[in-house]
Amino acid sequence: MPSARRVLVVDDDEMLRASLGVQFAANGYAPVEAGSYEEGFARGREGLYEFMVLDVSLPDSVGRVLCRPTRGTGATCPIAAR
């Protein structure tokens, strides 16, 4: 069986993160969750993702700001900041 496609969800709202994780898992993705900019950046460097979903208002930064350093690590997947 092929491995699940990973998706990174960065949002400080734990319930929303969990809900998105359940929806992604039901559609064949393996969600990886992070609740802050720092955690999202660390998780983003851990491996390849099909795509990333970033909250625009994180407690320690703005989600859109996370795009540039993430791209700097070589990530080429689509990144959506909502």
Side-chain angles (χ1 to χ4, degrees):
M1 180 173 157
S3 63
R5 301 166 296 170
R6 292 173 15 126
V7 58
L8 178 62
V9 179
V10 183
D11 198 304
D12 60 323
D13 184 329
E14 188 175 339
M15 289 180 61
L16 177 59
R17 229 178 30 244
S19 178
L20 288 171
V22 167
Q23 294 300 313
F24 287 134
N27 286 286
Y29 292 96
V32 175
E33 299 178 12
S36 67
Y37 173 95
E38 288 298 323
E39 188 180 5
F41 183 67
R43 297 279 185 269
R45 293 179 5 173
E46 288 177 354
L48 300 174
Y49 294 93
E50 287 289 314
F51 60 92
M52 299 178 186
V53 178
L54 311 177
D55 183 4
V56 294
S57 61
L58 295 167
D60 52 348
S61 189
V62 177
R64 284 187 220 107
V65 173
L66 184 54
C67 290
R68 186 171 301 229
T70 300
R71 290 284 185 229
T73 66
T76 60
C77 68
I79 299 175
R82 57 144 204 92

